[in-house]
Amino acid sequence: MDSRRVERLQQNAGSTDFQEAMAQLRQDADEAAKITFAIRAHEQGEWTHYYYCNEDGTRLTFQWHEPFLHRCSTCGKRCEGVVLDGAWTSLAHNAIGRAVYHIALFYAVEPDAARLQFVKSYLMAYADHYNSYAIHGDIPYNGPGKLFAQTLDESHWIMDLALGFDVIKAHLTPDEVAHIRTGLLEPCAHFLIAHKEQQIHNHSVLITSAIASLGLLLNDRSILDAGLLGEYGLHDQLERGIFEDGLWYEGNVQYHFYAFQSLLHYALIAEGTSYDIWRLPALKAMFDFPLQVVLPNGMMPTLNDAGLGHQIGTYAPYYEIAFAIYGEARYASLLQTAYGIAEADPRLIDVQRSKRDSVYALMYGQDVSMPIAEVDSLGEEVQRTRMMPGSGLTKLVNKAGWHVIVKHSRFGGEHDHMDRLGLSVMHSNVPLLIDPGTTAYGVPAHYGWFKHTYAHNTVSIDGADQPPRDGQCIQMHEELWGVWLETAVDWLGEDYMMKDRIILPAELNPWDSDVYRGAQIRRINLLGEDHLLDIVEVTVAVPRVIHWTNHFSGKLLSNNEDSQWVASEDQLSRLDQQWFKEKKKLEQDVTAFDYQMNEGRLEQHVWCSLPTKIYTALTPDNPPSGQRTSFITTASVEKHVIFVQALHYDASKGERLQGRLEVVELTKDILQISWNHAESQTTYAIKLLDEGVYIEKLR
């Protein structure tokens, strides 16, 4: 570790601004002291994604004194089995790796013989036994491990040990250093080199970062080059895996930071050497992008294989690094908001405050209490409409509280959800129609439901998954009366940007290319003052059944006596129908629907250019113990169909269904759409021309 970083660590440890971070580091050290696990030969860890309750998706827990008793904190279930024991073994070694890293940092602040002995004893024990670990692991789409079941986990663990070794190596004897290098670091480096993934992938960033870090610590140029150089080396990952606006290609902030964290750990080890990478433009771009998609409640959107609960506080530790290295006020604004340092911004609602208690705060933290100019504030950024063609996300925002994200992204590989032109909608901090992300990979709902087109607010043809293809942002316009967006995707070909850069195992190809061949989808979203118009146009080469799916974070209410839903056994999608509960079909000609959200109500008004069948069902929310209300419209299409919906949100508890949608199809290319609400009426002329959309507000 660079001497300047150690000095900053020691300086911040004595500052009142960072006492929560010191208290956390001390607590981590105390918890580490409770670890009773002895390093042994011939260990074999299992995949930690198995360590979840199959009933409700909750991660299981254990106590060190009861290592093979696995409990679910939600349902109370006690679980046993060889696979869970192996997953626990991996978790135990992960915990030891983190303990070595954190206690080494604590030793740098408060030198103590017991702390040094803790770090040294584990490093030496691993060096004693690492060569006894057998290569194993059959985790789908992952390379094998030695101590762990996959190369990825091996890399996580060795990076923690490498960071701990880097901190305390000056306090070891030459023989101890030599033993750790030859017994642990070198054989692990050679194992990782032998199992590098031959694709652009977050795993590959982690693995090559670990190899390069070990090369630096071993002062071995061949190992360093194996990590940094060549096809699929770390430099190649940065060049071909990061889009123009800074988002990691796998398409969500969670995987973005998953790749980024490993890169930052390598940067920490390389800091102050000739391999220092802080000034690489790609690094700064990776810090910049997430600021553009923060939601009004401080959460990050859950797209593709993202999990729940990731918010600005989750990533504040990384922005300690960003502000220390680049000094930009917008990074300080995120930190102020996450930690509650500044006065609350009314544009940010119910943001969860986080403690400033990370090791990055100790190593990089600066004074962030300065005034922030409006242009650099996080509240201002959250309220900006943004078109991000590189990442394939567009954010539409208005002052009334609407926050709409349209996903027209490039195909993101293994972690994609095959939902081009997917829609996510919030009003202030109330989710209305959002992308749920996913749950743990070992939970059946992940591969059974969340990974599929049908689980998203988009179009499925014949109920099948969309094949890989890149979406397009055609145009966006901010008018005096609102903002509107045109996006598109087609299957007139089979190419996509990442096609020759990633591996798609056959088991992860659930789509039907024949069904989509020649199809085109266009989506127009118009955000007015009090409503969202959503127009979906689908063109097919041969007759198909188009499924337009919307999944609401609320409960469908009975609108009037004319509406009549009847139980249905009709097949919805090609998925197992176990995911559809209380499946019903609409038997009356009703076009307006009302939903009770967790706060307020949402009106939905629908229209279609062709006869439709409308279904509703309860489908998995995230976590999968909850449910959403799915609203599914199907139409048998010879060539072309247009769907329209208008959404209106009311935070009050007034009368239901105050609005009315009127759609007149003037020609096959021109719609006149009127939105009537209370005493007001807004009318738009919308031209759906082949060369692009044109929208004019008539009144």
Side-chain angles (χ1 to χ4, degrees), residues 54-293:
N54 282 337
E55 299 295 325
D56 49 47
T58 302
R59 184 164 180 164
L60 302 177
T61 62
F62 67 88
Q63 300 295 326
W64 286 108
H65 65 280
E66 297 177 316
F68 300 120
L69 181 58
H70 320 293
R71 292 188 174 91
C72 175
S73 59
T74 298
C75 67
K77 184 178 178 181
R78 294 160 62 103
C79 307
E80 297 179 347
V82 174
V83 171
L84 291 179
D85 292 348
W88 176 88
T89 298
S90 290
L91 290 169
H93 286 289
N94 279 333
I96 292 168
R98 289 192 300 273
V100 165
Y101 173 32
H102 289 158
I103 292 181
L105 290 177
F106 198 23
Y107 176 79
V109 175
E110 296 182 9
D112 177 89
R115 294 179 193 123
L116 179 61
Q117 179 59 31
F118 180 96
V119 175
K120 181 174 70 173
S121 64
Y122 274 115
L123 290 171
M124 294 289 283
Y126 280 127
D128 289 341
H129 297 299
Y130 189 74
N131 282 321
S132 76
Y133 302 145
I135 296 175
H136 71 287
D138 56 358
I139 307 307
Y141 331 119
N142 291 277
K146 278 173 63 71
L147 178 55
F148 298 87
Q150 57 177 347
T151 320
L152 178 70
D153 289 344
E154 205 88 11
S155 301
H156 269 299
W157 165 79
I158 197 63
M159 184 66 87
D160 281 338
L161 296 181
L163 287 164
F165 174 72
D166 192 27
V167 174
I168 61 98
K169 64 180 184 290
H171 304 281
L172 302 177
T173 68
D175 287 345
E176 290 168 340
V177 169
H179 182 55
I180 293 167
R181 284 178 168 171
T182 58
L184 175 62
L185 304 185
E186 286 181 4
C188 188
H190 290 301
F191 168 77
L192 296 179
I193 291 169
H195 296 281
K196 283 195 302 184
E197 291 195 3
Q198 299 302 300
Q199 63 173 324
I200 304 296
H201 198 279
N202 67 80
H203 292 193
S204 301
V205 175
L206 203 157
I207 294 164
T208 55
S209 293
I211 294 168
S213 297
L214 293 172
L216 280 174
L217 292 177
L218 292 164
N219 195 27
D220 188 316
R221 182 62 182 267
S222 65
I223 292 176
L224 182 60
D225 287 351
L228 295 179
L229 305 181
E231 189 176 25
Y232 306 121
L234 184 57
H235 289 168
D236 189 33
Q237 300 290 331
L238 299 183
E239 182 177 345
R240 295 197 290 160
I242 301 172
F243 291 146
E244 302 92 306
D245 49 19
L247 178 65
W248 178 249
Y249 84 92
E250 287 173 286
N252 64 66
V253 174
Q254 186 168 326
Y255 268 103
H256 176 92
F257 274 106
Y258 187 69
F260 200 17
Q261 180 185 25
S262 305
L263 184 60
L264 293 175
H265 282 172
Y266 166 71
L268 177 59
I269 290 176
E271 192 172 32
T273 74
S274 59
Y275 295 95
D276 194 310
I277 62 172
W278 287 128
R279 297 301 164 184
L280 288 179
L283 262 72
K284 187 174 184 306
M286 291 186 80
F287 281 120
D288 289 340
F289 177 83
L291 299 178
Q292 302 178 63
V293 293

